[in-house]
Amino acid sequence: MNKTASFPHIFSDISLHEAVTRGATILCASAPLARHLLGRYGRIVAADGRSVWQTPDITAWAAWVRRQHDTLLDTGVATERVLSGAEEQLVWEDIISAWDAYGRLLQVEGAAVSAAQAARTCESHQIKRAALTRGRRPETSIFLEWQKQFEARLDQNRWRSGASLDAVIAAALEDGQLAPPETVVIAGFDRLSKVEAAVVTALERRGAELRTLGAAAEAEQAELTIARDLDQELDAVAQWILAYLERQPESRIAVAAANPAKIREGLDDRLRKAWGPAETQRYQFDLDASLAQKGAVFDALAWLRLVVKPCSRERVLHLLRSAAFRSADDQPVEGLKLELAVAQLPLRAFHFAAVVRQMQEQTADSPLVRRWLHVLAERDASSVRADLREWSSRFARWLRLAQWPGEYAQDAETRERFTEALGGLARLSHLHPECDGESALSRLQKLCEALPGARALDAQVQVVSIEDASCMRFDALWVAQLDDAQWPPVMSASSLLPLAAQRNAGVVRASPTGALAIAEAQTRRLRHSASELKLSYAKAEGESEQRPSPLLALLEPHVTEPSVTIDEEPATTADDTCEWL
């Protein structure tokens, strides 16, 4: 039986407060949902006048499972070390690189990502090797060869993959090696995989009570906005955010999208331009950006790239203007001189040494030039190849010499997250051979991209996926990109596994009907995501025309009529016509 079928996905404030008061453990499908519920609970108790409260046990499923495994390690029941996602990726890459000694694959990293995803699907849905050998395709045969080596590598080093933990925890609960929580709430799951369902069954058998929480109220109506293109759609979204926060400055609102990455930068630019630096500080943003996209970290990675490999003139000029490398001793006039020096270099690819020496000739007394000269001396005195632990140490030391993060020094959270990423790079050293700086920096970039850019539990303005929004509750929500090209999403099956095996194992998104069923359920739940609900889609993207998503019909009769249409073409004057002619 599907154990999530009777659980409302968006809880009311009253039921959330009641569950926490009773000491329930709330297991969430994702880390963003766990942060969201923690933030909501904080607001609920703060509204009651409390300034201090005990942190509730609201956690992502994956984090809870790892926590249980830590308990097994502490008691001696388990002995294997669980690899991080980055460590697993390196193991797969090492195996595939050895297999690909003759260069049969162009993208080893991409193949490793696909293999890791296929292995997780096999673990979570208990797809046995026998099911994969029936009507075996060449891709599946190759994957099975890689998988055999991967499992052998785990056994040899007493490692365990993260995807295998659910089955371990289910068995430990059944055997009485772990004590279950008294009360458990499942949040945000459209479907449980076979091993997740096994964990829930084991919890129930050991006496845990699975509670159902009351659902949040539905929005009474939803307004549909039809835009000419994405730019116009983002203009409408930004104007709505500005107007809503002007009316209710303490509210929590969100923008959901089928593809959040596609709208994040454009929306961020519009809001910052509208508010300006002073007003921007009033509001807390969480636009779903990774750590790599945070200003100070983005510039740190770009600067390290300049140190280890040539880059463009535009990138060098950007770094000279960056607040991340500006100190109180730097003078604006000197900055202009340095930019002029770089602009005069007759190069296409700018090497760090050439840039620094050119700037030294222009203004040797510049504090920035002196800092960068120290870095150049350290770099040239170091070996070209080193292990990742040494590269992590070098990157940190070079950034300190350059006085990073400069004017971003007050952003302690970003510095801590970047330090965490550097630590993660060092921990990969035992799995990765010695490499050059460019390869090490590529690893650091990926670690930063995998880390969220903010730990905000309750940001005022958020950008989230439609999937996440369908499990969250805001004061107001705008759902964008509701065109037929982007919503519902297409099915997502592993290309390395037989389609029949995935469908037989219950991988819901491996079939069009299964993927559609999930999208339909998520669309219906959007009614509960906010008391004020806005919807939109663009009629065109580039040269392609777009139609409204067929799933919009699931929100009727909530969608008001007539809809708002902002489809006017920009006015063309006689002067414009003459110029074009």
Side-chain angles (χ1 to χ4, degrees):
M1 184 183 72
N2 180 359
K3 293 183 175 295
T4 62
S6 61
F7 284 76
H9 288 72
I10 303 178
F11 313 137
S12 66
D13 286 351
I14 293 175
S15 60
L16 176 61
H17 184 272
E18 178 189 351
V20 172
T21 301
R22 291 171 60 94
T25 294
I26 302 179
L27 301 180
C28 304
S30 68
L33 177 57
R35 289 198 302 271
H36 172 81
L37 291 178
L38 283 167
R40 272 185 66 192
Y41 178 75
R43 274 201 290 161
I44 292 168
V45 295
D48 288 341
R50 294 164 59 186
S51 58
V52 179
W53 56 86
Q54 185 175 353
T55 302
D57 191 12
I58 301 175
T59 184
W61 178 282
W64 179 81
V65 167
R66 283 181 177 259
R67 195 170 78 197
Q68 303 311 303
H69 189 262
D70 288 343
T71 300
L72 295 179
L73 287 172
D74 292 341
T75 56
V77 174
T79 57
E80 303 94 341
R81 185 173 75 84
V82 181
L83 295 181
S84 68
E87 288 173 324
E88 286 189 36
Q89 174 73 10
L90 279 178
V91 174
W92 282 109
E93 285 182 20
D94 188 44
I95 290 168
I96 294 171
S97 294
W99 174 87
D100 194 41
Y102 297 102
R104 287 169 286 186
L105 286 176
L106 294 176
Q107 291 289 340
V108 170
E109 288 186 19
V113 170
S114 297
Q117 290 172 341
R120 283 194 293 271
T121 298
C122 289
E123 287 278 7
S124 61
H125 293 275
Q126 298 290 281
I127 302 177
K128 303 301 182 184
R129 183 175 291 266
L132 301 179
T133 56
R134 301 190 194 105
R136 186 188 299 185
R137 302 175 305 156
E139 308 92 87
T140 305
S141 298
I142 293 170
F143 166 70
L144 289 173
E145 183 181 337
W146 295 344
Q147 186 186 42
K148 185 176 180 180
Q149 294 182 45
F150 181 79
E151 292 172 350
R153 189 79 60 90
L154 295 183
D155 291 342
Q156 178 184 352
N157 293 279
R158 301 193 67 77
W159 294 334
R160 181 171 288 283
S161 67
S164 69
L165 288 183
D166 286 340
V168 172
I169 301 309
L173 284 166
E174 293 280 8
D175 294 342
Q177 296 166 332
L178 287 171
E182 290 185 9
T183 306
V184 176
V185 175
I186 307 295
F189 287 84
D190 286 290
R191 296 287 190 278
L192 290 177
S193 69
K194 286 184 178 179
V195 288
E196 288 166 346
V199 172
V200 172
T201 298
L203 287 169
E204 288 185 297
R205 286 178 178 169
R206 291 292 315 284
E209 177 191 5
L210 260 67
R211 284 185 60 82
T212 300
L213 301 189
E218 289 188 358
E220 292 185 4
Q221 61 182 29
E223 184 178 84
L224 175 63
T225 297
I226 305 171
R228 184 180 63 251
D229 53 27
L230 178 60
D231 280 339
Q232 200 177 58
E233 187 176 14
L234 290 180
D235 286 342
V237 173
Q239 290 167 13
W240 171 76
I241 291 173
L242 296 168
Y244 195 95
L245 291 180
E246 185 67 26
R247 297 193 314 268
Q248 302 186 44
E250 301 302 319
S251 60
R252 299 299 187 270
I253 64 178
V255 179
N259 184 357
K262 200 171 181 179
I263 71 167
R264 182 190 303 120
E265 184 176 353
L267 190 58
D268 183 69
D269 287 344
R270 284 166 171 79
L271 293 177
R272 293 185 186 279
K273 286 176 182 176
W275 275 325
E279 284 292 296
T280 299
Q281 296 302 315
R282 289 178 54 197
Y283 301 107
Q284 188 177 25
F285 288 86
D286 186 3
L287 300 191
D288 198 35
S290 70
L291 180 64
Q293 293 166 310
K294 296 283 282 186
V297 175
F298 180 89
D299 286 350
L301 294 170
W303 183 81
L304 289 171
R305 198 168 295 113
L306 170 63
V307 175
V308 301
K309 63 175 289 190
C311 68
S312 68
R313 186 195 310 270
E314 290 72 22
R315 182 51 55 87
V316 177
L317 292 174
H318 168 81
L319 291 171
L320 289 175
R321 298 166 188 150
S322 170
F325 296 98
R326 195 180 302 145
S327 75
D329 298 332
D330 296 333
Q331 300 298 320
V333 174
E334 290 178 349
L336 292 174
K337 289 181 180 179
L338 296 178
E339 289 185 36
L340 180 61
V342 170
Q344 290 174 343
L345 277 172
L347 303 172
R348 289 188 177 180
F350 285 70
H351 294 261
F352 187 59
V355 169
V356 174
R357 287 171 185 140
Q358 176 77 359
M359 293 193 305
Q360 185 183 21
E361 291 180 10
Q362 184 72 28
T363 172
D365 293 333
S366 165
L368 183 144
V369 172
R370 290 198 298 269
R371 296 195 296 269
W372 288 24
L373 277 169
H374 284 310
V375 175
L376 178 61
E378 276 232 0
R379 188 203 70 173
D380 290 347
S382 305
S383 58
V384 176
R385 299 180 68 82
D387 63 28
L388 292 180
R389 185 174 299 280
E390 174 60 22
W391 279 116
S392 174
S393 177
R394 288 181 189 178
F395 291 158
R397 191 165 59 250
W398 293 348
L399 286 167
R400 282 196 301 271
L401 287 173
Q403 292 193 12
W404 180 87
E407 294 180 4
Y408 290 106
Q410 299 301 317
D411 190 354
E413 182 184 352
T414 295
R415 294 204 316 275
E416 289 174 7
R417 305 307 301 276
F418 189 62
T419 301
E420 180 184 337
L422 286 168
L425 181 68
R427 288 191 292 275
L428 296 178
S429 185
H430 66 290
L431 290 169
H432 197 281
E434 288 190 350
C435 62
D436 58 18
E438 186 177 347
S439 297
L441 184 59
S442 176
R443 289 288 167 201
L444 179 60
Q445 175 85 32
K446 288 183 173 62
L447 289 171
C448 291
E449 289 171 353
L451 288 171
R455 282 198 177 105
L457 296 179
D458 206 21
Q460 284 184 277
V461 183
Q462 299 183 47
V463 170
V464 298
S465 67
I466 293 179
E467 181 177 2
D468 282 338
S470 71
C471 304
M472 297 176 174
R473 178 76 178 179
F474 304 97
D475 295 320
L477 173 68
W478 186 302
V479 187
Q481 297 180 325
L482 287 173
D483 56 80
D484 62 346
Q486 300 181 86
W487 192 256
V490 298
M491 72 175 202
S492 56
S494 170
S495 60
L496 297 177
L497 305 177
L499 199 54
Q502 295 178 70
R503 292 175 178 174
N504 291 338
V507 183
V508 181
R509 286 186 171 89
S511 71
T513 54
L516 179 60
I518 289 178
E520 288 175 341
Q522 292 169 353
T523 303
R524 289 190 183 95
R525 290 201 302 270
L526 292 174
R527 300 172 181 175
H528 298 269
S529 291
S531 54
E532 180 174 321
L533 184 60
K534 303 283 187 179
L535 312 169
S536 68
Y537 73 93
K539 294 176 69 176
E541 181 173 1
E543 299 295 322
S544 303
E545 292 186 0
Q546 298 180 150
R547 293 173 296 179
S549 167
L551 299 192
L552 273 172
L554 298 175
L555 296 173
E556 295 178 352
H558 294 263
V559 178
T560 57
E561 295 290 348
S563 301
V564 176
T565 303
I566 46 173
D567 190 36
E568 296 80 8
E569 293 291 340
T572 303
T573 66
D575 289 340
D576 293 332
T577 306
C578 292
E579 184 177 347
W580 181 80
L581 289 172

